[in-house]
Amino acid sequence: MGWFVEFLPFLMFMAAFAALLRGYPVAFTLAGVALAFALIGLALGHFDLIHFRAFPQRIYGNLMEMDRQILVAVPLFVFMGVMLEKSKVAEELLEAMGALFGSLRGGLGISVVVVGALLAASTGIVGATVVTMGLLSLPTMLKRGYDPALASGSIAASGTLGQIIPPSIVLVLLGDQISNAYQEAQRAQGIFSPDVVSVGDLFAGALIPGLMLVLLYVGYQVFVAITAPEKAPAAPAEPGTLKPGRLLNALLPPLFLIFAVLGSILAGLATPTEAAAVGAMGATFLAAARNAGGTDNPAIGRALSYAGLAAVMGLILLIVMVNTGSERRLYVSDLGAASLLAWLMVAIALIGAGLSLWRLKRTGVLDDVMRSTATISAMVFVILIGASLFSLIFRELGGDDTVQSVLTAVPGGAMGALVVVMLVMFILGFFLDFIEITFVVVPIVAPILLMMGVDPVWLGVMMAMNLQTSFLTPPFGFALFYLRGVAPPEVSTAAIYRGAIPFVIIQILAITMIALFPWLATALPNWLYG
């Protein structure tokens, strides 16, 4: 019976995995399996019901403590992403980039990668990006004579950039879990004044690997255009399609939004939660400016929305200028003579926000966005509660000690253990969404790896890249399923799989480079935050 007790945590994990494959809801599966195995452990005398007293505190600590307010960023980033999805930003970007690069061999493929990167830095929602680009760009690429495999692979791969390029929901959730694991690992080593790893650290760490991945994708498009030009032909130039005003109108608003959100985080002027609030407001302005049906005079409504966005950008720029060289963080009330200008910008931003919300309400966009935001956010937090119960009982059944024994016994020390963990996460990524893996697997393995001396930022970036690769890998990659759902009938599933394989190889190459040169993930956060 002793061997059965020792294997009980693994049986618990296998039971949860089997139930998830059967299609049961994730949150209720995790909680239900955990309760069932708690009862089994109680019957065997290996579990005490007093451990359940820790569960409310785990939920309270995860969701409500002031030092864990980072999770408030999740619904704000979701709102921002869904709002941008409704604002036709992707459509305008694809048209502008297609007009800019389309006359070159491989130009449409490059356009898809660039737009995927911009949408990743704006929305961070993989499924929405893949579906949107599949609907908008795949028919155009096929019409221009692109190889179906290359076209579908480019769209699926570019859509997954939202996993690694900040601000990303994956990085927010991973950063929260890595931060908890790092503090736990330090306490286990007798360090009771632990260092802190923030989501901002992970954002900074993921920026260079994300941009490197974009360059590798573009390089592959150029390589195919040179070696197999028939697969990536040049689109015939259409006179009058590339107008500077049109290009700037498509590029500048999302670039401003990226600067406001990501720049304020990396500069240390805003927490991810505060930056997410700015991003949500900016996305509201953009969506209102592009939905002209909310006012009798669309030009006036559009101008008011852009005025609100400009006021937010101006306020951020003013705060940046005043805080430059300051020893402490300054707010609007500290600006002295400039505070009048700041309050004027605040008033314009609030008026613009109110009118933008009114326009979006009249067009029905706001209702759709709020409904989607509530659904996605509720799913994330309910899964978090179920995963917290699962990990609590897994640990009380001795799962932590068993996992630590297995990982420390792996040849190669910390690097060997990391390879095993990455391989397990990669395989799980075929069947589970990143949310389940982040909330269930990371809290179990991350403290052990961190106690073995692995850098927390590097570990978080490696895990995010790994999850992104599993999203793309045939035959179970989620991005491939998203694209299959919107692809025309003439694009076969085999062509989608064939097109994804070169990008999976690029992903593995990028992960290998980050593994061999950890400074790719750690240099920027070290430079920014010491």
Side-chain angles (χ1 to χ4, degrees):
M1 187 61 68
W3 65 269
F4 181 76
V5 171
E6 287 184 10
F7 278 96
L8 203 57
F10 290 106
L11 293 175
M12 176 180 170
F13 200 87
M14 292 170 61
F17 186 63
L20 291 173
L21 290 181
R22 293 276 305 196
Y24 292 108
V26 176
F28 304 118
T29 295
L30 295 175
V33 169
L35 290 173
F37 274 79
L39 293 176
I40 294 173
L42 181 65
L44 297 175
H46 195 62
F47 183 82
D48 194 331
L49 290 177
I50 198 172
H51 295 309
F52 280 119
R53 290 186 178 181
F55 182 60
Q57 181 59 36
R58 288 170 69 95
I59 301 303
Y60 179 82
N62 279 346
L63 298 180
M64 297 183 185
E65 281 187 6
M66 293 303 293
D67 60 350
R68 296 292 302 283
Q69 63 177 324
I70 182 60
L71 290 178
V72 179
V74 173
L76 289 172
F77 276 130
V78 171
F79 178 91
M80 173 181 160
V82 177
M83 185 66 81
L84 285 174
E85 181 191 349
K86 306 291 185 183
S87 67
K88 302 180 182 177
V89 168
E91 184 175 348
E92 293 190 4
L93 279 173
L94 282 168
E95 290 177 357
M97 290 295 106
L100 184 63
F101 294 110
S103 58
L104 304 173
R105 283 206 309 264
L108 288 179
I110 295 173
S111 301
V112 165
V113 173
V114 172
V115 172
L118 290 173
L119 290 178
S122 303
T123 65
I125 300 177
V126 173
T129 305
V130 173
V131 169
T132 301
M133 296 208 304
L135 288 170
L136 295 176
S137 60
L138 186 55
T140 302
M141 296 177 81
L142 296 175
K143 180 182 176 182
R144 301 298 187 189
Y146 263 68
D147 177 61
L150 176 63
S152 55
S154 301
I155 292 170
S158 302
T160 60
L161 289 171
Q163 292 270 81
I164 188 65
I165 294 180
S168 160
I169 302 297
V170 179
L171 294 176
V172 173
L173 299 178
L174 254 180
D176 180 66
Q177 297 300 317
I178 291 290
S179 175
N180 297 337
Y182 191 41
Q183 294 184 45
E184 181 182 334
Q186 292 177 90
R187 284 194 296 267
Q189 293 172 310
I191 303 171
F192 296 104
S193 297
D195 292 333
V196 177
V197 176
S198 68
V199 173
D201 294 325
L202 208 57
F203 278 8
L207 189 59
I208 292 177
L211 295 177
M212 179 184 71
L213 206 53
V214 173
L215 292 176
L216 290 174
Y217 284 177
V218 170
Y220 174 69
Q221 299 288 344
V222 174
F223 173 78
V224 172
I226 294 173
T227 58
E230 72 281 358
K231 292 184 177 181
E238 298 179 9
T241 56
L242 182 57
K243 297 179 180 178
R246 177 187 172 197
L247 183 61
L248 291 176
N249 184 59
L251 276 177
L252 288 183
L255 286 177
F256 277 146
L257 194 61
I258 293 167
F259 164 77
V261 175
L262 193 53
S264 59
I265 295 173
L266 297 183
L269 297 173
T271 65
T273 302
E274 294 165 345
V278 173
M281 180 178 282
T284 302
F285 290 139
L286 289 183
R290 284 165 166 77
N291 284 270
T295 59
D296 295 330
N297 191 327
I300 294 177
R302 192 174 292 114
L304 289 171
S305 297
Y306 279 133
L309 181 60
V312 172
M313 297 298 105
L315 189 60
I316 291 172
L317 185 60
L318 182 62
I319 295 291
V320 170
M321 292 170 60
V322 172
N323 275 276
T324 301
S326 174
E327 295 181 358
R328 67 184 185 89
R329 185 176 172 185
L330 301 176
Y331 297 89
V332 171
S333 57
D334 302 316
L335 298 184
S339 61
L340 260 169
L341 177 61
W343 285 117
L344 177 62
M345 291 181 183
V346 169
I348 294 173
L350 290 176
I351 293 171
L355 292 173
S356 297
L357 289 172
W358 176 65
R359 297 186 72 205
L360 293 171
K361 176 67 176 177
R362 285 190 59 177
T363 55
V365 171
L366 185 61
D367 292 340
D368 292 341
V369 170
M370 296 300 292
R371 190 177 298 108
S372 298
T373 301
T375 302
I376 297 172
S377 301
M379 176 194 70
V380 170
F381 288 114
V382 171
I383 291 175
L384 173 57
I385 293 172
S388 296
L389 181 61
F390 185 90
S391 61
L392 171 66
I393 295 176
F394 182 87
R395 292 181 178 192
E396 299 303 337
L397 291 177
D400 271 10
D401 296 334
T402 307
V403 171
Q404 185 171 4
S405 301
V406 170
L407 291 181
T408 52
V410 173
M415 187 56 70
L418 180 63
V419 169
V420 170
V421 169
M422 295 288 282
L423 184 61
V424 170
M425 290 182 66
F426 179 75
I427 295 172
L428 289 176
F430 291 159
F431 309 101
L432 304 180
D433 195 54
F434 70 89
I435 299 174
E436 295 97 88
I437 296 175
T438 301
F439 286 153
V440 176
V441 179
V442 175
I444 294 172
V445 299
I448 300 167
L449 292 173
L450 294 173
M451 281 191 286
M452 298 173 77
V454 176
D455 184 275
V457 174
W458 180 61
L459 176 63
V461 172
M462 290 281 287
M463 286 181 168
M465 292 280 284
N466 190 12
L467 291 174
Q468 181 191 0
T469 307
S470 64
F471 245 71
L472 192 60
T473 305
F476 303 110
F478 281 91
L480 307 181
F481 292 156
Y482 294 144
L483 185 60
R484 175 67 278 172
V486 298
E490 59 266 26
V491 179
S492 66
T493 303
I496 295 176
Y497 288 173
R498 217 169 40 247
I501 290 173
F503 291 96
V504 172
I505 295 172
I506 292 174
Q507 290 277 151
I508 294 173
L509 174 63
I511 293 175
T512 305
M513 291 172 64
I514 297 170
L516 294 176
F517 306 106
W519 58 266
L520 288 170
T522 59
L524 186 57
N526 286 338
W527 180 68
L528 288 173
Y529 312 120

